[in-house]
Amino acid sequence: MKKILLLILMILSLSACSNATVEENDSSANTESSDEATSYLFAMDTIMSLTAYGEGADAALASVTGAIENLESAVSVTDENSDIYKLNASSSAPIEVADDTAEIISRTLDICASTNGALDITIYPVMQEWGFTNYEYKVPSYNVLQDLLRYVDYNKVTVDGNTVTLENGVAIDLGSVTKGYTGDMAAEILEDAGIESAVLSLGGNVRLIGSKPNGEDWKVGVQHPLDDSVYMAILEVSDKSVITSGGYNRYFEEDGQTYWHIINPYTGYPANSGVISATIIGEDGLMCDALSTATFVMGINKSFDYWRSRQDFDMILITENKNIYITSGIADNFTLLPDYAEEYKIEVVS
Amino acid sequence: MRFIKTTRFWIFVFVGVLIFSAIAMFFFGSTATGSVAVITLDGEVIDTIDLSAVTNPYSFTVYTDDGDYNIINVEKGKICVCEANCPDQVCVNKGYITNSASPIVCLPNKLIIAIEPDGDDSVADIVTG
């Protein structure tokens, strides 16, 4: 009898032990609980991860997901029902577009103008010729590029309320700014839902809502421009967009030469300014997204002149000479990881 | 007398099992904070692997509803997609990942393999790039 009792006790103790282990595994696997929710989303030709903290996080993320899908159907360059597809097929006829589309185009045109066309949303026909839009990469002939560059000019786009007109032969793509705009839209939805802490990565474009649940700044890793498996620096920041353009995001190699997807709108060839990674930190996500591309094209001197003329954002520019230029506003929040401290030199610009 | 002896024997076994459980829990408890890979297919978590607890390398295949596939290799501390039928092969070219800096993403097959950050203070919450 005692034998049986002891056996039962033993089995109980074993099962209690294994239960504990299972629960522990479950809790590490589960990304959703009452106060933290994470969603993954495939949209805008990339992967987005959205994590929100606080009561109602799950429902708030569901609204964000819906809004992102709606926005994508308006601004996608390949969806035949999108505003952008209609515009690119319009042969100079005026097209009525959604509010979001009109706002994105109009605000982006301002940045195209202020950067003297270092950012140009009419670069799309050139991007197509390089194959960056459909992954069928090729180096175009010089003459074809010169011919296409005649249609690359943001002044050939006019916005009047919700009516947008493209001159004949002009085609646009909002890929260089949409994710930044999306981050701001998502932040607004989450804040309206009472979420005070969230971190969004829209294909590497980071949007921070508030600070971490414990009140500390978020630690944003800045990807190494030459090795995408590591980050080389940490930036501590809250409530802002942090958006990086790097040559490593989309590129191909031919005859030993690397061709990346950030095209200089003046030449039609990949930007060759010496900057290999441009990170913009600011409150306006669309602006950060637009300027990460523009500064990649403009290079160090023009970018810092531009920054001095505005000072409503911060930046981290990494060059092929292994210099890291950072603006004074974030100097105290920027830490280069020890592994890279010897190889890379930091210069604070003010 | 014989009865007491058997009882003692069982008490020894019982205590032995308790000690063994305690040791096992200690080890599992400590490795659970290590590198955990979360595999997501079209937004659903389909598998969670504690890479630090892998003793023998193995591989398995993940199929999408459309019949597309990614073959995943798991080794101690690292994970990769070694073969896939996606057109761009970005996931395969990524090679092994060992940390949370940058996940493996197969856009065509909507597969993500991400290693969860382990809560270390010097580790980033998110990466821009």
Side-chain angles (χ1 to χ4, degrees):
Chain A
M1 186 59 203
K2 281 220 170 166
K3 238 188 222 177
I4 293 166
L5 242 169
L6 279 167
L7 253 176
I8 290 170
L9 257 176
M10 205 174 90
I11 290 163
L12 274 177
S13 82
L14 268 176
S15 69
C17 173
S18 65
N19 264 344
T21 318
V22 169
E23 272 163 25
E24 204 168 272
N25 285 342
D26 272 0
S27 66
S28 68
N30 195 357
T31 51
E32 283 175 35
S33 67
S34 60
D35 56 357
E36 179 188 344
T38 297
S39 298
Y40 290 105
L41 176 68
F42 287 88
M44 300 178 181
D45 206 18
T46 191
I47 156 80
M48 304 185 172
S49 75
L50 322 170
T51 301
Y53 300 86
E55 210 175 309
D58 248 336
L61 284 186
S63 324
V64 169
T65 305
I68 291 175
E69 281 161 1
N70 282 342
L71 180 63
E72 180 177 28
S73 60
V75 299
S76 158
V77 77
T78 49
D79 180 344
E80 291 184 19
N81 298 310
S82 81
D83 290 340
I84 303 305
Y85 192 92
K86 285 178 202 158
L87 273 169
N88 288 347
S90 65
S91 322
S92 80
I95 301 286
E96 280 289 307
V97 300
D99 291 350
D100 282 327
T101 315
E103 188 185 339
I104 295 174
I105 295 176
S106 145
R107 285 175 55 198
T108 307
L109 287 175
D110 289 345
I111 299 175
C112 295
S114 73
T115 59
N116 285 320
L119 176 76
D120 199 319
I121 53 171
T122 59
I123 194 71
Y124 188 61
V126 175
M127 296 288 282
Q128 277 182 304
E129 188 60 28
W130 280 94
F132 286 117
T133 53
N134 59 2
Y135 300 97
E136 289 174 15
Y137 305 128
K138 65 162 195 275
V139 181
S141 82
Y142 178 80
N143 289 338
V144 169
L145 282 180
Q146 295 310 307
D147 193 45
L148 289 172
L149 282 174
R150 292 187 293 132
Y151 302 102
V152 177
D153 181 357
Y154 60 91
N155 289 306
K156 296 177 189 289
V157 182
T158 48
V159 184
D160 181 12
N162 281 32
T163 308
V164 181
T165 315
L166 305 186
E167 281 184 24
N168 237 337
V170 173
I172 62 170
D173 176 13
L174 301 179
S176 57
V177 291
T178 303
K179 290 184 207 86
Y181 180 86
T182 306
D184 287 351
M185 181 188 76
E188 208 175 302
I189 294 169
L190 291 173
E191 281 161 2
D192 286 349
I195 300 295
E196 291 173 352
S197 176
V199 54
L200 318 176
S201 170
L202 315 177
N205 296 262
V206 172
R207 180 65 163 89
L208 309 164
I209 289 96
S211 50
K212 286 209 260 190
N214 64 7
E216 289 175 7
D217 279 337
W218 300 96
K219 290 189 168 77
V220 181
V222 179
Q223 191 172 309
H224 194 302
L226 306 175
D227 177 2
D228 73 356
S229 66
V230 293
Y231 44 88
M232 64 186 303
I234 287 184
L235 182 69
E236 289 175 74
V237 63
S238 287
D239 223 12
K240 290 212 166 77
S241 282
V242 183
I243 297 184
T244 303
S245 283
Y248 49 79
N249 280 332
R250 195 172 290 185
Y251 66 91
F252 68 97
E253 284 167 16
E254 196 176 296
D255 299 331
Q257 181 90 25
T258 300
Y259 300 93
W260 52 53
H261 75 294
I262 304 174
I263 300 288
N264 182 336
Y266 301 111
T267 64
Y269 285 92
N272 185 21
S273 68
V275 171
I276 54 172
S277 162
T279 301
I280 309 291
I281 304 102
E283 278 167 21
D284 179 345
L286 180 142
M287 180 193 73
C288 292
D289 205 351
L291 291 183
S292 70
T293 306
T295 53
F296 193 101
V297 171
M298 289 194 286
I300 295 298
N301 292 334
K302 280 188 193 165
S303 295
F304 280 102
D305 286 346
Y306 184 79
W307 173 75
R308 287 190 194 94
S309 74
R310 296 186 54 143
Q311 308 231 0
D312 55 351
F313 62 93
D314 278 293
M315 61 184 177
I316 304 164
L317 302 181
I318 306 175
T319 66
E320 58 193 1
N321 303 333
K322 305 199 168 170
N323 286 320
I324 304 175
Y325 297 86
I326 60 177
T327 49
S328 47
I330 48 155
D332 291 342
N333 307 62
F334 180 86
T335 311
L336 183 62
L337 295 181
D339 285 357
Y340 309 101
E342 269 185 31
E343 201 180 352
Y344 286 81
K345 209 176 111 233
I346 300 179
E347 191 168 320
V348 179
V349 178
S350 52
Chain B
M1 202 57 195
R2 187 184 149 77
F3 172 75
I4 292 170
K5 267 189 184 162
T6 18
T7 310
R8 273 205 191 133
F9 168 75
W10 283 110
I11 287 171
F12 271 119
V13 170
F14 183 59
V15 169
V17 166
L18 271 185
I19 290 169
F20 175 79
S21 308
I23 292 168
M25 278 177 78
F26 174 78
F27 276 107
F28 283 117
S30 64
T31 52
T33 61
S35 39
V36 174
V38 179
I39 303 175
T40 316
L41 186 66
D42 201 7
E44 303 272 325
V45 174
I46 55 164
D47 206 351
T48 306
I49 302 166
D50 185 349
L51 297 177
S52 56
V54 175
T55 45
N56 296 315
Y58 62 96
S59 50
F60 61 98
T61 308
V62 172
Y63 290 96
T64 69
D65 290 344
D66 301 329
D68 293 316
Y69 68 89
N70 300 72
I71 302 177
I72 297 170
N73 257 3
V74 182
E75 286 184 39
K76 188 171 177 64
K78 58 185 187 175
I79 187 164
C80 76
V81 174
C82 61
E83 189 187 325
N85 72 333
C86 57
D88 61 15
Q89 296 288 300
V90 168
C91 57
V92 177
N93 293 334
K94 177 100 185 169
Y96 278 101
I97 60 167
T98 58
N99 57 50
S100 61
S102 157
I104 299 171
V105 175
C106 181
L107 270 182
N109 295 355
K110 301 192 171 183
L111 177 91
I112 308 163
I113 305 174
I115 296 179
E116 291 190 333
D118 61 4
D120 183 336
D121 217 34
S122 64
V123 169
D125 300 305
I126 192 129
V127 177
T128 177

